[in-house]
Amino acid sequence: MARCAAGYERIIAVKRSLKALLVVLTGVALLGSACGDDDDAGSGDTAGSADTKITIGAQDFGESAILAEIYKQGLAAKGYKPTIQKLGGFRDLEIKAFESGTINFAPEYAASLLEFLNNKAGEAGSDIEANLKKLEPRLFGRAKLQALDASEAVDTNAFVVTKATAEKVGLETLSDLATKGKDLKLGGPADCETNPFCIPGLKNTYGLDLAPKFQALETGQVADALDAGSIDVALLFSTDGRIEAKDYVLLEDDKTMLAADNVVPVVTKDLAGDESLVDAVNAISAKLTTDDLIAMNKRFDIDKEDAAVIAKDFLAEADLL
Amino acid sequence: MSATTELVSYVTTSSHWTGERGIPWRTFEHLRLSASAVAVGIVIALPPAVWLGHVRRGGLLAQSLVNIGRAVPSLAVVAILFPLSLRYGFGLGFWPTFVALVLLAIPPMFTNAYVAVRTVEPAVVEAARGMGMKRAQVIGRVQVPSGLPLILGGVRVATLQVIATATLGAFVGFNGLGSFINEGFRQQDDGKLLTGAFLVALLALLVDIAFGRVVLRITPWRAAPRATKGSSL
């Protein structure tokens, strides 16, 4: 009997400590959520409503993070309370996040998005207006999305090699790559394999299949891997500050596989109905240029500055805060 | 498409079985990396563990050091070593992952081997000494063979952890089975992702079965009491 009683007491003691643990864990969880909410409201005019829920999706590369910050801070200055959701992936994940309602705003690229949504039909051309017109029904078909005004800033995929490789193999254009570089190793973000302006585009336009030796890498690793000689050809973006800083050779797209990839914000139909929000977003997009992107990417990739700081400087310079 | 049909359709596509990004090559790379990490881990962990177990001293200190190792996340090791590996010419993938896996493999092997040798029945060790055995003989003919099931149990646990964790290498460009998982996730290709997960699980299972057979062969006297089949502590 005595033994039984002792056992019972022990169980009670264990239960008590479990309860205490639970209380502590709950406290920590609540603390965390309270901390997450203290984003200060914009200090500018308060045309926007803080009730409009805006979640901006940022893809897994620097420029997308910077653009997301620019739209976030620009909207915050108008009294909105946008938040950023890092997607940890690329367009494939972003569209799913739209469809599931996780995000309702994303900085995008007109041509790449069009070719993604039309299953690589090859509709995107070098005319941004035509691209946007074709994009409209495709976007609406997927999760009732809508594109706002496109900016004049353009960022396309960029295939680069080191100067040494360019001289050794004799590479200046993507056509050269197709004839002399079949055995070279291409490295880039994993989505290159499905991106119509990457491996599938090279196959269709140049007849070059780099898939068998493709090396999938995290976005931030690509340039370093090229420097180390672990890959021969790197997929970067045309607005990457490192192309100039590191003297890489940008292979010319002589058969115009790449199309007008202007930065364009994509939102859900609900958000597009908010006129003052649309005006605010369009005002930001109107100020953005390709040179801005190059300068901001350089600060992010080479100087290792924070996306939020870079975005704030841009907005201050453009008088949008 | 359901998950199963996507998995089946990916695995049954013949182009996924060729080249350096195909299933056989990546499986081979995965095994090569795992085997090297376990082998090096054995060389590093077992001799000191056996020695300390034999002299019955310094165990607590060594044990604590090894246990700190358990708390270090493999992903962090991989991420920290990656830029160094590139800078010093070791290239992508293999070396950063290898080091992380060796560190992962050491703790269970060390702990098991130390306890195995230390807990051999003292009377048996005394008897061996009484027969005139020298120290090396006591270790080699009595303590290690008696503790072998537990020692091998540690190696077995380490091996399974290493095979499962080698998938992390994909994040630094190691071309093993983890690459299917990483690419499948990034490309929203469920068939590819599931193929990676399935193959890693299958590989771990097959290696574990093979291991069980080998253990049985090396230590046949353990065949009867199966309940105490070597496990970690």
Side-chain angles (χ1 to χ4, degrees):
Chain A
M1 272 311 273
R3 217 196 240 164
C4 278
Y8 186 63
E9 264 167 29
R10 202 194 268 159
I11 289 173
I12 289 187
V14 168
K15 269 193 177 168
R16 241 183 235 146
S17 42
L18 277 180
K19 222 181 229 172
L21 183 66
L22 201 66
V23 169
V24 171
L25 287 179
T26 317
V28 171
L30 287 177
L31 202 67
S33 57
C35 293
D37 277 342
D38 61 6
D39 264 14
D40 52 336
S43 48
D45 52 328
T46 48
S49 150
D51 298 336
T52 317
K53 196 174 174 305
I54 306 170
T55 311
I56 305 172
Q59 294 187 54
D60 198 13
F61 56 93
E63 189 171 285
S64 193
I66 295 168
L67 288 170
E69 278 290 345
I70 287 177
Y71 287 111
K72 178 194 162 189
Q73 292 180 25
L75 287 172
K78 296 286 177 194
Y80 291 94
K81 280 192 159 184
T83 52
I84 291 179
Q85 172 67 55
K86 288 192 178 171
L87 295 166
F90 306 99
R91 191 161 288 116
D92 330 60
L93 277 177
E94 177 191 279
I95 299 298
K96 290 212 168 164
F98 265 122
E99 286 172 337
S100 69
T102 312
I103 60 171
N104 56 8
F105 186 121
E108 259 295 354
Y109 301 91
S112 294
L113 181 60
L114 172 59
E115 288 303 306
F116 180 85
L117 292 173
N118 67 16
N119 269 325
K120 306 166 203 169
E123 288 179 303
S126 49
D127 178 13
I128 176 66
E129 291 308 320
N131 287 350
L132 287 173
K133 199 159 266 173
K134 287 174 194 153
L135 187 57
E136 199 178 321
R138 302 278 183 189
L139 271 176
F140 198 76
R142 285 298 273 276
K144 295 219 161 57
L145 301 176
Q146 201 167 319
L148 303 182
D149 288 356
S151 84
E152 62 160 275
V154 177
D155 178 10
T156 62
N157 280 348
F159 297 89
V160 306
V161 293
T162 58
K163 202 156 198 182
T165 308
E167 279 164 10
K168 202 177 84 195
V169 189
L171 298 175
E172 279 179 16
T173 64
L174 287 176
S175 291
D176 293 342
L177 187 66
T179 49
K180 301 173 201 164
K182 284 191 184 68
D183 293 326
L184 295 184
K185 191 174 200 125
L186 170 70
D191 83 316
C192 176
E193 210 176 356
T194 52
N195 185 320
F197 295 116
C198 206
I199 287 176
L202 288 175
K203 208 186 267 178
N204 291 338
T205 311
Y206 291 93
L208 170 66
D209 185 7
L210 290 179
K213 285 185 139 186
F214 172 61
Q215 173 72 60
L217 290 166
E218 301 296 300
T219 321
Q221 301 171 346
V222 181
D224 293 338
L226 183 68
D227 290 339
S230 299
I231 55 172
D232 307 305
V233 185
L235 175 71
L236 298 175
F237 300 115
S238 59
T239 53
D240 194 319
R242 285 171 295 198
I243 296 175
E244 202 190 304
K246 293 197 168 185
D247 217 8
Y248 293 148
V249 176
L250 173 66
L251 300 179
E252 189 202 332
D253 176 28
D254 53 327
K255 290 190 183 169
T256 56
M257 159 183 102
L258 304 168
D261 244 338
N262 297 58
V263 171
V264 58
V266 169
V267 298
T268 55
K269 195 172 149 273
D270 291 345
L271 281 193
D274 183 338
E275 253 177 63
S276 59
L277 178 130
V278 171
D279 287 346
V281 173
N282 286 346
I284 297 169
S285 306
K287 296 270 186 165
L288 202 61
T289 66
T290 306
D291 287 339
D292 287 333
L293 291 184
I294 295 174
M296 291 192 288
N297 283 329
K298 183 187 162 292
R299 288 178 64 183
F300 187 86
D301 292 319
I302 300 177
D303 308 332
K304 308 288 179 200
E305 289 190 61
D306 195 66
V309 176
I310 300 170
K312 196 173 174 200
D313 289 350
F314 166 80
L315 290 167
E317 184 105 339
D319 212 11
L320 288 164
L321 278 182
Chain B
M1 270 206 292
S2 81
T4 328
T5 50
E6 285 199 41
L7 170 63
V8 170
S9 96
Y10 190 90
V11 173
T12 50
T13 305
S14 63
S15 66
H16 297 152
W17 286 84
T18 55
E20 32 179 282
R21 302 178 67 219
I23 291 170
W25 181 254
R26 281 182 169 173
T27 308
F28 169 73
E29 283 288 290
H30 200 95
L31 271 174
R32 182 171 73 95
L33 174 64
S34 305
S36 337
V38 171
V40 171
I42 287 175
V43 172
I44 296 175
L46 295 193
V50 168
W51 177 254
L52 290 172
H54 172 77
V55 297
R56 303 170 80 93
R57 236 181 289 139
L60 186 68
L61 181 69
Q63 198 75 70
S64 310
L65 282 177
V66 164
N67 278 335
I68 291 171
R70 283 189 207 255
V72 177
S74 300
L75 182 59
V77 178
V78 171
I80 290 168
L81 291 177
F82 176 73
L84 297 176
S85 177
L86 278 188
R87 188 172 318 149
Y88 295 106
F90 291 100
L92 292 169
F94 185 91
W95 288 105
T97 321
F98 171 79
V99 174
L101 293 179
V102 170
L103 292 179
L104 180 77
I106 289 173
M109 298 202 286
F110 183 93
T111 309
N112 273 36
Y114 172 73
V115 172
V117 173
R118 194 186 162 117
T119 55
V120 169
E121 188 68 47
V124 178
V125 179
E126 281 307 304
R129 289 216 179 94
M131 286 169 69
M133 281 194 185
K134 299 209 171 75
R135 173 164 262 182
Q137 289 174 313
V138 173
I139 295 176
R141 296 208 193 156
V142 178
Q143 290 184 309
V144 169
S146 308
L148 203 51
L150 200 52
I151 295 174
L152 291 175
V155 177
R156 187 173 185 170
V157 169
T159 305
L160 293 186
Q161 285 182 346
V162 163
I163 288 176
T165 311
T167 47
L168 283 184
F171 293 95
V172 290
F174 176 69
N175 191 30
L177 292 176
S179 296
F180 290 117
I181 299 176
N182 189 24
E183 290 168 20
F185 171 67
R186 294 302 172 84
Q187 297 164 4
Q188 286 289 294
D189 183 341
D190 293 345
K192 201 175 199 175
L193 197 162
L194 288 167
T195 300
F198 175 75
L199 289 176
V200 171
L202 187 69
L203 192 63
L205 192 70
L206 291 178
V207 168
D208 194 45
I209 291 173
F211 217 102
R213 295 245 163 133
V214 172
V215 169
L216 206 61
R217 183 157 287 190
I218 300 180
T219 59
W221 65 91
R222 300 286 302 187
R226 292 206 74 161
T228 51
K229 186 169 74 174
S231 63
S232 75
L233 292 172

